[in-house]
Amino acid sequence: MYAERASRLPGAVLWTRTIEAATAARVHPVLPDGCMDLLWNEGRLLVAGPDTRAYVPGTAPAQWAGLRFAPGTAPTYLGVPAHELRDRRVDLTDLWPAATVRRLTAGVAESPHPATALEELALRRATGTPPPDPLLRHLVAALDTGRPVAATADELGLGARQLHRRSLTAFGYGPKTLARVLRLQRALALARTGVPFAQTAARSGYADQAHLARDVREFAGMPLGELLGRGG
């Protein structure tokens, strides 16, 4: 079972996931979304880096809690460039001093609501760090409307190399990959409401349904119909 709610940290989302033995075979893959997560599982604090392909959670019964940072913001709070964590799940002790992580781990373990404890941890961290670059927020907003990368770079006053470098640090990959990830998420949101796949492709900015199908296979590793649990 999965549930989420908005966090008090701007743009972030708190979520919980329970994997039970009876439903383990139906665990859905986690798809690229431009985000990074702070995770709690089995007494451990972890960080999920930005994905470029589907991540399939383990199927053993487990309780998870997480805080999903808004795209491009996690490196500011965590103090590590996103590209160093691309397609990885790492213990927080790999990023922060072990003594600090032990103290934080004990605090989350004592909380009756681990997701809320993660939120408090992130909020405290945010008070001691500069705010995320607002330019990157504008980049995400522009690309999420389907604006071309080159036009967006011009509007932001950035050269192609500078935009790519800043994107690697913030998102873990370049702006073109970010644009594709955001387009995929737009398409999935439409398809999940029952919009036919051909219309989904057109409304999301794909050249055609075949283009959408190729992107879904590349990012998710399966056809769109299988991903959504229905036919095309």
Side-chain angles (χ1 to χ4, degrees):
M1 183 176 67
Y2 176 85
E4 67 176 42
R5 63 178 174 85
S7 168
R8 288 175 288 157
L9 187 70
V13 172
L14 288 174
W15 58 267
T16 57
R17 178 180 300 220
T18 302
I19 300 175
E20 300 174 345
T23 59
R26 299 196 299 274
V27 172
H28 297 290
V30 178
L31 301 182
D33 58 6
C35 300
M36 295 172 57
D37 293 61
L38 180 62
L39 308 172
W40 172 256
N41 172 248
E42 306 295 333
R44 297 166 60 204
L45 286 169
L46 307 99
V47 174
D51 292 321
T52 61
R53 57 182 179 271
Y55 173 78
V56 181
T59 56
Q63 297 276 346
W64 288 86
L67 184 143
R68 183 176 306 118
F69 295 96
T73 64
T76 297
Y77 302 125
L78 299 177
V80 60
H83 62 81
E84 293 186 6
L85 301 178
R86 184 171 53 233
D87 293 318
R88 298 175 62 199
R89 269 72 180 158
V90 302
D91 282 288
L92 191 58
T93 49
D94 292 341
L95 310 179
W96 293 359
T100 299
V101 176
R102 282 197 298 271
R103 175 174 54 80
L104 296 173
T105 299
V108 177
E110 292 169 0
S111 172
H113 303 291
T116 301
L118 293 178
E119 180 181 44
E120 294 292 345
L121 188 165
L123 288 168
R124 290 194 301 271
R125 182 77 176 181
T127 63
T129 58
D133 187 349
L135 181 145
L136 297 173
R137 185 175 66 250
H138 296 319
L139 172 64
V140 172
L143 295 181
D144 201 25
T145 64
R147 291 285 293 159
V149 171
T152 301
D154 289 341
E155 291 166 1
L156 297 176
L158 295 176
R161 289 184 180 180
Q162 186 181 14
L163 179 61
H164 188 81
R165 183 170 60 251
R166 291 170 76 162
S167 293
L168 284 178
T169 299
F171 306 107
Y173 33 66
K176 290 185 179 179
T177 299
L178 176 62
R180 292 180 64 206
V181 166
L182 295 174
R183 182 177 60 188
L184 174 70
Q185 289 294 330
R186 292 197 304 274
L188 292 176
L190 284 173
R192 286 178 180 129
T193 67
V195 175
F197 293 168
Q199 292 183 30
T200 291
R203 291 170 57 181
S204 302
Y206 289 91
D208 51 30
Q209 185 175 339
H211 184 196
L212 167 62
R214 289 193 299 272
D215 256 25
V216 171
R217 279 191 174 276
E218 179 177 339
F219 285 118
M222 63 181 70
L224 181 55
E226 181 180 342
L227 180 65
L228 300 178
R230 64 184 175 91

